[in-house]
């Protein structure tokens, strides 16, 4: 499995984290944060996006924006951004009043329409969110700027059209279909953005297609607990040990065993946060001989013991969920 696939396995939409909103200009939507990744698309009309006071970015019809992190965001029909806030965008993609009440056509010109197919408006905003946490998901977040825009002309995936069509239907199983389509929209958008000529592509993204590095990465991701050596990884790549070590360092920016150590600790960190397994069990799952060996490597990497990391990461997750 390549690194992007591994990362996306840890970033999945699940349950009603999507909304389609009808808007009557002038309007301005504020996002308080919450989800780590938010996808925005103007299905009809255009808008201007401001993030943390930066210059506005124009979103034309069906241009797709990906927002990362928890910074404040303003999406407006007016390029000056001077329109008073019409509503607050929730993690579920719906527009609510400051009080938390759902907007209707009579109190701001916006309508939550995921359950009202066939409605029409001058502007239509599609918003979907992906709560994320963990070290593996963090690899993707670290590779992305605060705002990613994929122009309509550079979108190759058809998932957005399928998602829009599904929102207009009311058939059994819709939520499951929406979840999967939203995943496909995000994956397609990331692929399209990484393919843009001016994108600073992370080393791990391009490595999947490298004939030498790709097979080795797939092998160690599939089985991080295995006692991998440079020689055994080179055999997977069907090249000599020296050739493999040199090529891996060129593509990934670090030696193979250094990368393997970092990946094992990423996996261990996420297991500590998500599961109740003992540190000894997690150590075995990621290739360490004992809890002591894992703890020593983990503390060197993250500056905290595994047990303490588990407590801190879970406490942070609860805090973010409440906010």
């Amino acid at each position: 499995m390549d690194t992007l696939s591994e990362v996306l396995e840890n970033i999945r939409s699940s349950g009603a984290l999507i909304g389609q909103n009808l808007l009557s200009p002038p309007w301005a939507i504020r996002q308080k944060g919450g989800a780590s990744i938010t996808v925005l698309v103007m299905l009809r009309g255009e808008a201007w996006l401001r993030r943390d006071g930066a210059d506005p970015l124009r979103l034309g019809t069906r241009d797709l924006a990906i927002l990362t992190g928890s910074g404040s965001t303003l999406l407006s029909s007016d390029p000056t951004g001077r329109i008073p806030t019409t509503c607050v965008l929730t993690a579920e993609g719906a527009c609510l009043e400051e009080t938390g009440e759902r907007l209707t056509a009579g109190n701001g010109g916006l309508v939550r329409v995921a359950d009202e197919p066939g409605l029409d408006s001058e502007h239509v905003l599609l918003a979907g969110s992906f709560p994320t946490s963990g070290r593996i998901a963090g690899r993707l977040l670290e590779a992305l700027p605060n705002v990613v825009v994929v122009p309509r002309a550079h979108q190759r995936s058809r998932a957005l059209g399928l998602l829009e069509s599904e929102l207009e239907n009311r058939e059994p199983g819709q939520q499951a279909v929406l979840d999967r389509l939203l995943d496909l929209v995000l994956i397609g958008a990331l692929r399209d953005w990484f393919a843009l000529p001016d994108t600073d592509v992370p080393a791990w993204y391009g490595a999947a297609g490298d004939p030498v590095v790709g097979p080795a990465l797939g092998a160690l991701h599939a089985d991080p607990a295995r006692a991998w050596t440079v020689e055994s990884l080179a055999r997977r790549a069907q090249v000599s040990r020296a050739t493999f070590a040199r090529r891996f360092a060129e593509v990934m920016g670090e030696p193979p065993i250094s990368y393997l150590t970092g990946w094992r600790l990423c996996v261990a960190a996420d297991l500590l946060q998500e599961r109740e397994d003992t540190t000894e069990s997690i150590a075995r799952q990621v290739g360490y001989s004992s809890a002591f060996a894992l703890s020593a490597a983990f503390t060197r990497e993250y500056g905290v013991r595994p047990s303490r990391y588990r407590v801190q990461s879970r406490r942070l997750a609860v805090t973010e969920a409440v906010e």
Side-chain angles (χ1 to χ4, degrees):
M1 183 181 292
D2 62 88
T3 307
L4 181 61
S5 296
E6 191 85 39
V7 167
L8 291 170
E9 280 294 312
N10 290 267
I11 301 176
R12 304 292 296 274
S13 60
S14 180
L17 297 179
I18 186 168
Q20 187 177 3
N21 299 277
L22 304 184
L23 305 102
S24 298
W27 54 268
I29 297 174
R30 179 164 53 85
Q31 184 194 40
K32 290 184 175 180
S36 297
I37 298 179
T38 301
V39 175
L40 300 176
V41 185
M42 293 300 300
L43 296 178
R44 299 191 190 96
E46 63 179 15
W48 278 263
L49 179 68
R50 292 176 180 268
R51 193 76 192 271
D52 295 329
D55 292 337
L57 292 172
R58 178 182 175 273
L59 289 183
T61 302
R62 300 188 81 82
D63 290 346
L64 191 150
I66 300 173
L67 311 181
T68 63
S70 57
S72 62
T73 303
L74 180 68
L75 188 69
S76 175
S77 61
D78 178 34
T80 67
R82 296 173 182 169
I83 298 174
T85 300
T86 310
C87 75
V88 176
L89 184 67
T90 70
E92 291 76 26
C95 287
L96 304 182
E97 294 186 272
E98 294 282 359
T99 60
E101 296 181 5
R102 183 174 291 188
L103 285 166
T104 67
N107 63 353
L110 289 88
V111 184
R112 172 84 161 94
V113 298
D115 53 355
E116 300 178 43
L119 296 178
D120 198 5
S121 182
E122 182 176 351
H123 289 175
V124 179
L125 167 67
L126 177 69
S129 296
F130 296 78
T132 67
S133 64
R135 295 283 177 173
I136 294 178
R139 292 199 167 208
L140 176 61
L141 298 179
E142 291 168 2
L144 299 177
N146 287 336
V147 180
V148 167
V149 176
V150 182
R152 180 179 184 178
H154 293 277
Q155 295 172 20
R156 300 168 294 179
S157 171
R158 298 180 181 179
L160 181 57
L162 295 173
L163 179 59
E164 184 180 8
S165 297
E166 184 62 29
L167 282 168
E168 297 175 355
N169 298 323
R170 295 294 295 168
E171 296 185 27
Q174 184 187 51
Q175 188 58 63
V177 174
L178 290 176
D179 286 342
R180 285 155 180 77
L181 287 175
L182 186 57
D183 289 337
L184 292 176
V185 168
L186 177 62
I187 294 169
L190 290 171
R191 282 176 166 178
D192 292 341
W193 184 72
F194 282 131
L196 294 176
D198 296 332
T199 299
D200 186 12
V201 179
W204 52 258
Y205 181 78
D210 187 272
V212 173
V213 179
L217 278 179
L220 65 85
H221 284 175
D223 188 9
R226 185 168 177 173
W228 294 108
T229 64
V230 175
E231 184 175 356
S232 63
L233 290 170
R235 284 198 298 270
R236 288 288 182 134
Q238 298 183 340
V239 295
S240 70
R241 184 180 184 280
T243 298
F244 172 75
R246 181 173 60 253
R247 181 60 183 167
F248 194 100
E250 289 174 353
V251 173
M252 299 298 293
E254 61 180 321
I257 301 306
S258 173
Y259 177 87
L260 174 60
T261 298
W263 182 256
R264 284 172 167 170
L265 294 175
C266 270
V267 175
D270 285 4
L271 291 175
L272 286 164
Q273 182 176 340
E274 298 165 5
R275 300 185 186 178
E276 299 301 329
D277 301 25
T278 64
T279 304
E280 184 72 30
S281 173
I282 291 174
R284 303 287 184 182
Q285 292 175 56
V286 299
Y288 284 88
S289 60
S290 66
F292 178 79
L294 172 62
S295 182
F298 196 94
T299 304
R300 284 195 301 270
E301 181 74 9
Y302 298 128
V304 61
R305 296 190 309 276
S307 58
R308 184 60 181 165
Y309 180 88
R310 170 175 273 164
V311 172
Q312 291 177 344
S313 61
R314 292 183 178 185
R315 184 180 298 159
L316 178 60
V318 171
T319 301
E320 291 177 346
V322 171
E323 292 177 350

